[in-house]
Amino acid sequence: MPTGTVILSSRAPIGKTAIAGCEMCCNQGFKNLICSDAIYNEYLYFFLKSKTDYLNSLGRGATFKEISKSIVENIEIPLPEVNQQKEIAEKFKKLEQLISLRKQQFAKLDELVKARFVEMFENVTEENALENLCHFIDYRGKTPEKSDSGLPFITAKNIRMHYMSFDTQEFISKENYDKVMTRGIPKVGDVVFTTEAPLGNVCRIPQFDTDFYIGQRIITMQTKLLNPVYLEYALSSDDFKRKLVGKSSGSTVTGIRSKLLGKLTIPVPSKGLQNQFAAFVERVDQQKQTVQQSLEKLELMKKALMQEYFG
């Protein structure tokens, strides 16, 4: 493939897109598009990036889906004249640069908190097991019926590192909620920890205007002995991650059982020191919120432009 070829993954997964930065070869998992003078390669790249769901809907196959050469050849694309294509591509490039910058800012703020955690607590020698410090609420084995609307159903897909994402939204009816919530009621500010798929993501439960259900593969930790902010970051520390990996198991999906998780230890500094750290995190979180709001606006703008130009 020559430099500038638009590369499209056609199976496992479908729809990953890139532009070849040099001459290269590939295996059978791609359909590659060498552009004629009628189409600007960056315009085609952004078009395909906007069509991931559509491309996946075209997939065929029993074991795993794939889009064939003939399917890709028959995809129709809006085709303004080339100079306009370049203008459209330039708009998307600038947006993606700004989005990347905001993500870098967000990551640096996370690194700042991580560095502060190490600075404040690296010399703390007293440790205790999580089972002695927290009350665990575990709904493993309970899979209530989901509904099209109702109360938020929080799954492991929603738990990211230090924040809860709502890109994926699922719901449970109030009737089912009342039936299944028998092991304890997670509340705003509690720390939630994913025990598999993925293992080890942790955040505090944000403000909800309604009741909500925390699904299986998530441990909710309630504590009066620790500041929840300190607990959240202790569970994401490099030291704790090493302990977690040492006790995790599974050939297909790596995970940890609730009882083993409870045996793992974390440092226990004074409550005053924990509170100082929590106050620092709160200040950083305010900056992160500003960056996040800007990032969300940029993402919405990108989606609106994709709809405008690509339908």
Side-chain angles (χ1 to χ4, degrees):
M1 299 178 291
T3 301
T5 299
V6 179
I7 302 169
L8 174 66
S9 65
S10 55
R11 67 180 189 183
I14 294 172
K16 294 292 184 181
T17 314
I19 296 176
C22 60
E23 289 186 356
M24 60 176 59
C25 302
C26 70
N27 68 7
Q28 66 271 35
F30 298 90
K31 301 296 178 283
N32 304 298
L33 304 156
I34 301 171
C35 294
S36 71
D37 293 338
I39 186 165
Y40 182 47
N41 63 346
E42 290 184 5
Y43 174 83
L44 176 59
Y45 163 79
F46 284 113
F47 170 81
L48 292 171
K49 282 192 73 172
S50 75
K51 296 296 181 182
T52 303
D53 291 341
Y54 172 65
L55 291 168
N56 276 272
S57 74
L58 299 176
R60 302 291 181 267
T63 306
F64 54 81
K65 289 186 175 182
E66 180 174 11
I67 48 175
S68 66
K69 182 183 178 211
S70 62
I71 287 175
V72 176
E73 283 178 334
N74 284 294
I75 293 173
E76 294 189 352
I77 178 171
L79 199 65
E81 57 94 16
V82 173
N83 284 336
Q84 190 178 351
Q85 294 177 34
K86 291 181 178 180
E87 290 175 4
I88 291 169
E90 191 61 29
K91 288 181 181 180
F92 282 113
K93 284 171 67 176
K94 288 179 179 178
L95 265 177
E96 290 206 332
Q97 288 168 0
L98 286 171
I99 288 170
S100 177
L101 177 62
R102 294 294 179 268
K103 288 180 177 178
Q104 290 173 30
Q105 291 173 332
F106 205 88
K108 286 184 182 298
L109 289 169
D110 278 338
E111 289 171 8
L112 181 64
V113 174
K114 184 177 179 179
R116 184 64 170 159
F117 182 92
V118 173
E119 179 187 345
M120 292 183 68
F121 305 119
E122 64 180 346
N123 296 321
V124 177
T125 55
E126 181 185 347
E127 294 202 0
N128 206 337
L130 289 173
E131 63 183 4
N132 298 326
L133 299 168
C134 309
H135 169 62
F136 280 19
I137 301 175
D138 183 6
Y139 278 93
R140 183 186 296 270
K142 277 184 173 284
T143 309
E145 182 181 351
K146 298 172 187 177
S147 58
D148 294 332
S149 61
L151 303 177
F153 187 119
I154 306 303
T155 71
K157 291 179 287 188
N158 299 111
I159 311 301
R160 307 292 175 85
M161 194 58 79
H162 302 306
Y163 74 99
M164 192 173 286
S165 167
F166 297 100
D167 291 342
T168 301
Q169 294 189 0
E170 299 181 30
F171 302 94
I172 180 175
S173 70
K174 182 65 167 70
E175 181 184 10
N176 277 332
Y177 175 88
D178 292 336
K179 288 179 182 177
V180 299
M181 294 299 287
T182 58
R183 298 180 185 174
I185 308 293
K187 62 181 188 301
V188 172
D190 289 346
V191 175
V192 284
F193 185 91
T194 57
T195 57
E196 65 178 37
L199 172 64
N201 279 359
V202 58
C203 70
R204 281 165 285 143
I205 298 175
Q207 182 64 48
F208 281 91
D209 295 329
T210 64
D211 292 330
F212 54 91
Y213 178 73
I214 300 289
Q216 56 180 333
R217 305 204 314 269
I218 301 171
I219 300 290
T220 302
M221 301 184 193
Q222 297 180 331
T223 179
K224 293 182 179 179
L225 299 176
L226 301 172
N227 186 304
V229 178
Y230 169 77
L231 173 61
E232 175 189 355
Y233 282 89
L235 294 175
S236 67
S237 68
D238 292 340
D239 181 58
F240 186 80
K241 286 178 182 177
R242 285 191 288 270
K243 295 175 183 176
L244 184 66
V245 169
K247 293 297 182 181
S248 60
S249 60
S251 54
T252 306
V253 177
T254 303
I256 189 169
R257 289 183 290 129
S258 174
K259 287 185 178 180
L260 285 177
L261 180 63
K263 300 293 183 186
L264 298 183
T265 61
I266 60 172
V268 185
S270 70
K271 201 67 174 288
L273 207 58
Q274 293 180 42
N275 292 340
Q276 286 180 38
F277 175 73
F280 176 79
V281 172
E282 183 179 358
R283 292 194 295 272
V284 174
D285 280 350
Q286 290 172 356
Q287 297 177 56
K288 286 172 68 176
Q289 187 174 8
T290 301
V291 174
Q292 182 65 29
Q293 288 171 348
S294 174
L295 181 59
E296 288 171 358
K297 287 180 181 178
L298 290 168
E299 293 283 9
L300 284 173
M301 191 182 302
K302 183 179 174 182
K303 287 180 180 177
L305 282 178
M306 284 182 168
Q307 182 65 27
E308 178 182 348
Y309 293 124
F310 305 135

